[in-house]
Every structure is written in structure tokens, then in C-alpha cells.
Amino acid sequence: MSGEPRTLHNFINGAPAAAEETGDLIDPVTEEVFARAPLSGAHEVDTAVRAAAGAFERWRDTTPAERQLALFRIAEDVERRAAEIVAAESENTGKPLGLTLDEEIPMALDAIRFFAGAARTLEGRSAGEYMAGHTSWVRREPVGVCAQVTPWNYPLLMAVWKWAPAIAAGNTVVLKPSDTTPVSTLLTAEILAEHLPPGVFNVVCGDRGTGRALVAHPGPQMVSITGSVRAGKEVAAAAAAHLKRTHLELGGKAPVIVFDDADPAAAAAAIAEAGYFNAGQDCTAATRVLAGPRVHDAFLDALVGQAKNVRTGPPGDDGAAYGPLNNVAQFGRVAGFVDRLPGHADVLAGGRRARDRGYFYEPTVVGGLRQDDEIVQNEVFGPVITVQRFDSEDRAVEWANGVEYGLASSVWTTDHARALRVSRRLDFGCVWINCHIPLVAEMPHGGFKSSGHGKDLSMYGFEDYTRVKHVMSNHEEA
């Protein structure tokens, strides 16, 4: 790598703001330092929260039409600068440039525009006289300052899912991106600053200590995080001190139930795409397959064939299906799961580093697994798909539900009654039928159990950033 790594800054009160300490950002493709980002402490966090609190006094009084127009203009600029944003996102993550432009930018734009529309469509109960001589009605109001923490797997998209509904509802935001992927978030902050008053959207970069300082600060009234179960538990515990609202979108271990009547080749092709996309670094990824007794062998053969035809590579490789794992710790975690496989497990494809340099890992298929195996029970968050053979519908549902997670799942069958029956029994916040991973802005995304609570996307996600107030008026003279 040539040249001195550039230094990034926080974005507070409408302008870049330096921090006292910085840390290295590592390019996951080259394993070299490409920038230095702030390691924000209590002072920087306090400055950002105070800026957001001051801006809230004005922003909450804007009309829904004003907030909608600002978001529409932001979307126009994001679309106009899409190539620049994709380059920043790829520098963060090593993602393929073409795939990111084609897949993630349209989703981000759609979410911004959806919440722009949502700003003007909040509904409530009609006013009425529920006590003689009194009229009651319900107001939906913004919560206040929202602390938001985003992950490294989708830095741009997960940030949009958080700040767009919060701002549309009249809140202000202090957002902490992952310590490994702040670049696209800081670029987005510059775009937002062109259309929002100073302090409405602030970014503080840093590590877990920064996140803890933000969550523990008494200023924010709500904390939203997308991250691991461990991180979600820490946020919930810290937020409890001030009884803050929490919105937790945490890990997943999505079961993919392939019944005997499914087309094994078609299912394998779709599941491989949904399992290896973004190097499997997706909490909804199709990485835990449960296959029926008669379809199992044919499906497994087809899936292995798919894996052998999938290629990982650097951002400019147009034929690459995915890029590297995000950081050296995650590379070690994924490799560790495969290295610790029990003797009864079979690695049928992959299972190794893919290139001499960078955090690339081969598309991997593991068979012969049992329900209590570590790799079945825990989220790998990498390009590793496991396959188990079940013997009955009841067993499939039992195994599907038999993990601590409850985010997403899918059912593959031509039997409509079975699809409906099984979708009702699955204890997951989303169930796809004969597909896996498509998301739309109109439908909620969020989980049960250790996968957290609260919804992203949809009007449910928008309402999470509002509070309900009852107002009652006495008709009688005082």
C-alpha cells in the first residue's frame, strides 16, 4: 500500500470533528492499514448527544411534509453519488463493487423513500368521548435523541434502516458504526448534513468502549442496535440504568427446511445464493439446512456442486459471488468452527482459506451433523452451510426451533397445506416459503428469543421510533 493512511473524523453538529485518539482500519482484502478512525471517548460522545438534544428542540416541531421532503432529497443525492458510496462501502468491507451497486444501493434508496412516505401516514385511534364531558385523543410523538449502533456486515444498509425511520418520525440521532467499517457512514453523514439542520444526525466512531459510553449516557431516550447476542445483552443491561427503550436486532441461525417434494437442484441453487451472499455474514443467511430423508442425498450433491462453482474474490472481480470476511477475528472464528468439527461431520466442499492474502474463505458445505453440534447451535456468520437429515415433519420443526435464535427461517415444499402448517409452528420472526432472504420495506424484519425484539422496516419499525400520549379535554367549565 502506498501513501500515508488518511485520518477520518467524527461528524458532530453538522461538521467533521476530530477525536483525541485514533485506531487503524484494516483493508480485509490486503490486510493493510488504509485509514485511521476516531476512538471516541466520553467527551466526544457527550458533545454529540448534546448536539442531538439541542437539534431535537427544533426538529421535532417540523411538519411531516418537511421531514419527508428532506428524506426524498437525501435519497436523490445517495442515488446520484451511488458509485462513490459503493467505493467507500467496499473499502470498509471488501464487498464486490458490482453486487453492492446492484443489490444494496437500491435497497437503501427504497428504505429511505419508504420512510419518507411513512412520515405522513401515521395513524391512531379516532378521538372520542370515553368519559362523559371529556374528549380523548392519542398523539404519536418522537421519542427524542436516539442512540444507534450498527454492525460491520452491512454498514450502509443497516445505518439507513435506523436513521431513516428515526429522522422521519422527528427524532435526532447519534450513531456509532462498527469500529472496522465507519467509512460509508461518515460519507453518508456529509450527504445528510446538506439537507438536515446541524445536530439532527451525528456520527461518533469507536470501539466497544465508545458504544458503552453512548448507551450509558443519560441523554438518549432510545437505543437501537444491530449486532451479536452478546452485544445486545450488554446494551439492554446498560440501558436499564436509565430505563431507556431498546430496539435489538441480534444474531440468527436460520433453519432452511427442505421437504421431500421440493426440487433438490432448484432448492440447492437458491439456498447457495442465500447462504454465500456477503460471505454468509448475514443474520438471516441460509446456512442451516434440514433436508427430508428422500431428498437429502440429491440435495446435498446439488449443494456441493453449487459450492464448487461459487468463487470469492476482491472487489473488482466481476465473477466473484462474495468478498472477504470483514476482519481477522471473524476469519479466525469461522475457521475455528470448521477446525473443531466432530469426527462424525464431513466437510464436502471448501473448509479452507481461499487466497494467500486477505480474509477470504472458501464456500463450504458440511454434512453428517447432529442437532447438538456446536456448528449447528451457534451462529458462524461465514460462508459455511450445514446440512442435517430429518425423518419427519415434527422432527424438522423440533430441530428448527431447537436453537436460541429466532430471526428468520424458510420452508421448501410444493404442499401448500404443509407450508402453512409449518410456517405457523416455526418460532421465527420471518418465514419464507420456497425462497430465502428477500426483504421489502413494507414488511417488518425482526426476531424472537435471543434474536432480540423490535422491528426494522415497515410501519412497525417506524412506530418503534414514536411514543404514544393520551390527551383528554374536559368540556365542563373550570
Side-chain angles (χ1 to χ4, degrees), residues 208-403:
R208 291 179 184 176
T210 308
R212 292 186 183 108
L214 177 58
V215 174
H217 195 288
Q221 299 301 302
M222 177 178 176
V223 181
S224 175
I225 179 175
T226 297
S228 67
V229 174
R230 174 202 54 76
K233 289 178 178 179
E234 286 189 11
V235 165
H242 296 284
L243 294 178
K244 292 182 177 75
R245 288 190 183 197
T246 57
H247 181 282
L248 310 176
E249 201 279 272
L250 309 178
K253 191 69 178 175
V256 181
I257 306 177
V258 181
F259 284 99
D260 285 333
D261 58 349
D263 181 324
I271 290 165
E273 183 177 2
Y276 295 133
F277 185 80
N278 200 37
Q281 297 171 122
D282 190 314
C283 49
T284 64
T287 57
R288 180 168 66 107
V289 179
L290 308 172
R294 293 191 301 277
V295 78
H296 175 275
D297 292 351
F299 171 84
L300 193 57
D301 287 345
L303 183 63
V304 169
Q306 290 288 331
K308 291 180 178 178
N309 287 321
V310 170
R311 189 172 82 244
T312 179
D317 184 350
D318 291 337
Y322 63 88
L325 296 168
N326 180 257
N327 54 76
V328 66
Q330 184 60 22
F331 182 89
R333 175 179 171 83
V334 173
F337 273 107
V338 177
D339 293 344
R340 293 190 302 273
L341 284 170
H344 55 263
D346 299 312
V347 178
L348 303 170
R352 297 180 298 273
R353 176 188 284 271
R355 301 165 69 93
D356 293 336
R357 193 179 194 189
Y359 307 131
F360 296 92
Y361 201 82
E362 291 184 347
T364 299
V365 177
V366 182
L369 292 164
R370 300 170 185 169
Q371 180 65 10
D372 59 354
D373 287 335
E374 176 196 30
I375 201 169
V376 170
Q377 289 294 314
N378 296 304
E379 184 175 37
V380 176
F381 222 58
V384 179
I385 300 177
T386 65
V387 182
Q388 299 167 257
R389 185 198 303 263
F390 66 81
D391 56 12
S392 68
E393 180 180 308
D394 285 343
R395 182 76 70 192
V397 172
E398 175 192 347
W399 284 355
N401 290 337
V403 294

Side-chain angles (χ1 to χ4, degrees), residues 394-413:
D394 285 343
R395 182 76 70 192
V397 172
E398 175 192 347
W399 284 355
N401 290 337
V403 294
E404 68 169 314
Y405 306 94
L407 183 57
S409 57
S410 63
V411 179
W412 300 74
T413 180

Side-chain angles (χ1 to χ4, degrees), residues 128-136 472-476:
E129 289 66 51
Y130 304 101
M131 178 181 290
H134 298 74
T135 296
S136 289
M472 177 181 279
S473 175
N474 181 4
H475 300 174
E476 304 296 330

Side-chain angles (χ1 to χ4, degrees), residues 80-229:
R80 178 175 60 83
R81 299 176 65 175
E84 182 184 0
I85 293 170
V86 166
E89 186 78 343
S90 183
E91 186 177 39
N92 270 312
T93 62
K95 293 176 188 241
L97 294 167
L99 273 177
T100 306
L101 183 64
D102 293 343
E103 298 290 338
E104 296 189 37
I105 292 294
M107 290 185 68
L109 291 170
D110 190 55
I112 297 169
R113 288 167 174 153
F114 173 82
F115 287 117
R120 300 180 71 169
T121 59
L122 270 178
E123 297 179 354
R125 295 180 182 273
S126 60
E129 289 66 51
Y130 304 101
M131 178 181 290
H134 298 74
T135 296
S136 289
W137 64 95
V138 170
R139 291 177 54 89
R140 275 202 177 268
E141 300 178 341
V143 174
V145 176
C146 297
Q148 301 181 328
V149 180
T150 53
W152 45 254
N153 59 332
Y154 293 104
L156 170 69
L157 195 57
M158 296 298 96
V160 166
W161 285 13
K162 294 192 181 305
W163 59 252
I167 289 171
N171 302 285
T172 57
V173 170
V174 180
L175 188 148
K176 191 202 87 67
S178 168
D179 58 332
T180 65
T181 57
V183 180
S184 58
T185 304
L186 291 170
L187 176 57
T188 304
E190 295 176 9
I191 295 173
L192 267 64
E194 297 177 11
H195 305 284
L196 300 174
V200 172
F201 182 68
N202 309 273
V203 179
V204 288
C205 302
D207 55 15
R208 291 179 184 176
T210 308
R212 292 186 183 108
L214 177 58
V215 174
H217 195 288
Q221 299 301 302
M222 177 178 176
V223 181
S224 175
I225 179 175
T226 297
S228 67
V229 174

